[in-house]
Amino acid sequence: MTTDITTPADAPADRQAVREAVRVDTAPAATAAPAPVDRGGTRTAPATRAHALPTPGADAVPAPGADAVPAAEDPASPGAGRATALSDRTPSRVREVAGAPGRWLRATALRSAALVALLLLWETAPRLGLVDATFLPPVSEVATAWWDLLGNGQLGQHTRASLARSFGGFAIAVVVAVPLGLLIGWYRPVAAFLGPLLEVFRNTAALALLPVFVLLLGIGETSKVSIVVYACLWPVLLNTISAVGNADPTLVRLARSMDLSTPRLFQKVILPSSVPAVFTGIRLAGAVSILVLVAAEMIGAKAGLGYLINASQYNFAIPQMYAGIITISAVGVAFNQLLVTIERRLSTWRVPA
């Protein structure tokens, strides 16, 4: 029996040979590159490309003859997944943008359906004899009269006079009522002192005091603006008092624990939390300012939408009368929308429900 004894000097060589054999057996099939053609025109034997383990930066530049797949086209690469996701979202985004006008049109049609139905009923009822066309002319005749008043300048003149009185009285009422409401709502002794007086006057209708204002201030502009101020004062004042009283006590205690002064407390806590309720009163006051002014202009005025309506009734110019009424309605809607826009700008801190 013969035993081969491997010397220590030969052992590393044998182990190296074993590792090379195992690597060759376990490696995937090599990709044969096309045989290059030498200068003499003869094709040399193809070289076998061994499978090597990837090294950092090795796959950045593919070897000549390698069947490299671009990263954007490789389904297994992360970039391909992002590109696919973007391509999948692009049609949905396009459909969303394309469908926006349709949704807007549907929403507009839904909101204006009742108004369109009212106009159609107004137009057809007098023509079908359901109502007397003398006292309720069709809306087309009213629109014609409105256009004639606009063309000859009468509508613009009366509208400017009414807006000056209404907005002037409304602005004075807001400037006076908001600070006074904050004062009454914050200091309980002031509220206890002025409470009975407020209860008496807020339950007295503004139009009931119109003869008093005319007797004391005359039939000029002062009495008309004063009655508007009086009518607009109470919605703003009462809503401001309620808003201050309903402020979150937890926030107030936290602000006091941080040693905030009273002006800073109002700036950081009371005023922001009071904006919705205060603007509710301001919007009510905006509507009241126009309604009360129209009634005031019917007594002793020589210009204004109220005067136009009253004069048209006396002269039996019924289409002009309805034109003045529609103008008042349009002014009220526009004024209310303006106040809503201002409220949204001042309430951007609020979290939507």
Side-chain angles (χ1 to χ4, degrees), residues 10-65:
D10 298 333
D14 296 337
R15 287 196 297 270
Q16 182 67 24
V18 172
R19 282 197 297 269
E20 293 293 338
V22 172
R23 181 178 298 178
V24 172
D25 293 338
T26 58
T31 303
V37 180
D38 59 4
R39 295 181 179 179
T42 58
R43 185 177 299 273
T44 60
T48 302
R49 185 163 53 129
H51 179 77
L53 295 177
T55 58
D59 54 345
V61 180

Side-chain angles (χ1 to χ4, degrees), residues 5 27 131-132 187 193 206 209 242 249 271 278-279 308 347:
I5 299 175
V131 295
D132 192 349
Y187 294 103
F193 177 72
L209 296 176
S242 176
L271 288 179
V278 171
F279 262 89
L308 174 64
S347 302

